[in-house]
Amino acid sequence: MADLNTQHMIDEIRDNIQTGDTLKTKLVLAHLPDVDMKTQNRLIYELSRGDVRFTVPILLYLMTEHVSIVDELPVIKETLLSNLLAYPELLIEFLSDTSIKDKTHLINVAGELRFEEAVPALLYLVANSQDEPEIKLIIETLGLIGDPQAINTLTDYLYAANRDLIITAIQALGQVGTQSAMHRLAERMGTDNEMDYMILSIFADVQDPVSLEKLNDTLASHYAHMRIYAKQELVRIGAKAVPALIDNLLQDDPDFVIHTLNVLGDIGDESAIMPIRKLLGKDPKSANVRFAAYEALALLPLRKGAYTLTAGLTDPEDHVCVAAAKAIDQNYSEILTAGIKNLLRPKGDEARHIAKIIVSAQVDKIFLSLAAEDFFQELSLVYLPHAHKDTKEHYTRLLVKHGFDEFANKIQGGEDVKNLVKVVAVDDSRMILNIYKATLHELGFEPVLFEFPASAIEWLQNEKPAMVLTDLNMPEITGVMMAAEIRKKYSPKELPIIMVTTQNETNDNEAAYAAGVNKVIQKPFNAKSLKAAMDEFM
């Protein structure tokens, strides 16, 4: 306003500060938007010279009642922070002052300062507040401060009626980060996917003994999304998680052991080698456990004792034999060559089976070490000319590259049948995909293989195979999620889906059927068992 006397305003605010007249001070400052910037800064300067107990409430009044001028005049907030930083002990007094109605800025300062002495006052405020935005801010601030005395109050909000407050409390307990806080978070899991992911990610960041234990325990969860996320986080943590994972190998739950072996293989820490070999030495009843053990060993650096892997080539399940072959190929040596030759020389049923495994597994080191032997050529040529065209082409190129032209020419004896019925197989294990390729080809289908569900979903938008075979436990998109996506385009009758998994969990099976899966079968499969399942819908 043009008729305002700026000097009079400055003189008046000085007098009001001296007399402690809050009301008149507020009246003067209400005209801040009407004066020039120089006068604005001078008025705030005069205010800052007053007693902090007088100045801070006035500054808070400005910040809550005159927001627009505060945005234009950052010196107001700077002055408030300066006062509170100079006298942090008074922050508690202001937080408890009932005459200050809006304590938002005080709460924020308490958080910025990580001021532990303010925690009792904050706990009192949150217990008596009915304002949800204020409650949320206090919970966030208690998390920033990270004082364990707030754990009980934060735990109460884990079960609030307001989802936003629950998520805020989860994040705050994660910032507190004590073992007690981690226990409270673990107890909250199991009712909401988003919250479960959030809690597991907190465990992965904190990595204290309790967090690692809870992540590890989650491998045995009845919910696929939980297991998958826990596996990813344990792999990310790496060697620090290995001791707890090794202890899991002593458990009787096959699924738990399988998930553990998957993680140990992906981590690749060689301290896991001996425990895995001891596990195989006990000859686990579950073929899926034996498969997962050899699959893990294929990813680990076996410097000694690799010759013991040859025992896996005589396993009664083809899946296990393929995994053992991959592990042998990864750690190949002259001793292993000699051992495999001894198994093949008799040329009996066992030798023919091992040759078939070597062909279907596409284990180049093993294949080349045997390629010069007449007995291996004879055994492998029972299967090679009738193998999938990709397999034949692979071995033809390999043999020609290493000077085995005559052997390579013999591979091409079989005829490739065109226009075969397509069957899609989706699995994040390349080893399993290789088994699908050989098995589906043997059954007379054209296998269409996908390692990533997203790629399969995209392909299925324009193509319609006779059937989809899918794993359950896959990162990012589970088999259940993929099935639900497929059902948006194809009905169960139009495109049957069979879930082929190591799991046999009630929750997983129910979720699979609810998503539109036609049938759930367990691994390991062979040509006979897979054909029996497929024949129900073909």
Side-chain angles (χ1 to χ4, degrees), residues 85-237:
L85 286 170
Y87 303 97
E89 67 279 2
L90 294 180
L91 183 57
I92 302 168
E93 183 180 316
F94 295 132
L95 284 169
S96 305
D97 189 341
T98 56
S99 68
I100 301 175
K101 301 303 180 184
D102 189 335
K103 296 184 170 66
T104 300
H105 300 291
L106 293 171
I107 296 167
N108 280 327
V109 171
E112 289 177 26
L113 295 176
R114 308 293 197 274
F115 192 42
E116 291 185 8
E117 288 81 355
V119 169
L122 290 170
L123 293 175
Y124 178 82
L125 273 179
V126 78
N128 291 279
S129 178
Q130 301 298 319
D131 181 53
E132 287 189 354
E134 182 180 64
I135 292 171
K136 181 182 178 183
L137 179 61
I138 295 172
I139 293 172
E140 291 172 346
T141 302
L142 290 170
L144 282 172
I145 295 172
D147 193 316
Q149 67 178 307
I151 289 175
N152 287 340
T153 295
L154 293 175
T155 301
D156 290 341
Y157 284 100
L158 290 179
Y159 304 91
N162 182 307
R163 178 182 174 80
D164 202 23
L165 292 182
I166 296 172
I167 291 174
T168 306
I170 289 172
Q171 294 167 336
L173 282 167
Q175 289 174 299
V176 174
T178 64
Q179 294 191 14
S180 177
M182 298 304 101
H183 275 299
R184 301 295 179 86
L185 287 175
E187 292 166 0
R188 184 61 180 81
M189 294 176 69
T191 60
D192 183 287
N193 288 2
E194 182 185 350
M195 293 179 191
D196 291 344
Y197 287 138
M198 190 180 299
I199 292 170
L200 287 174
S201 68
I202 288 169
F203 290 158
D205 289 337
V206 174
Q207 295 183 25
D208 69 337
V210 173
S211 298
L212 292 176
E213 177 190 343
K214 298 305 179 185
L215 268 177
N216 187 46
D217 290 348
T218 305
L219 293 180
S221 170
H222 297 298
Y223 300 93
H225 71 277
M226 300 266 288
R227 294 191 301 269
I228 292 167
Y229 193 81
K231 288 168 79 170
Q232 292 172 330
E233 291 303 307
L234 286 165
V235 170
R236 182 173 69 83
I237 291 168

Side-chain angles (χ1 to χ4, degrees), residues 61 67 69 197 244 301-302 320 381 420 457 484 494 502 529:
Y61 160 78
V67 177
I69 191 62
Y197 287 138
L302 278 68
V320 181
L381 286 171
L420 296 175
I457 292 168
E494 289 176 310
T502 60
S529 64

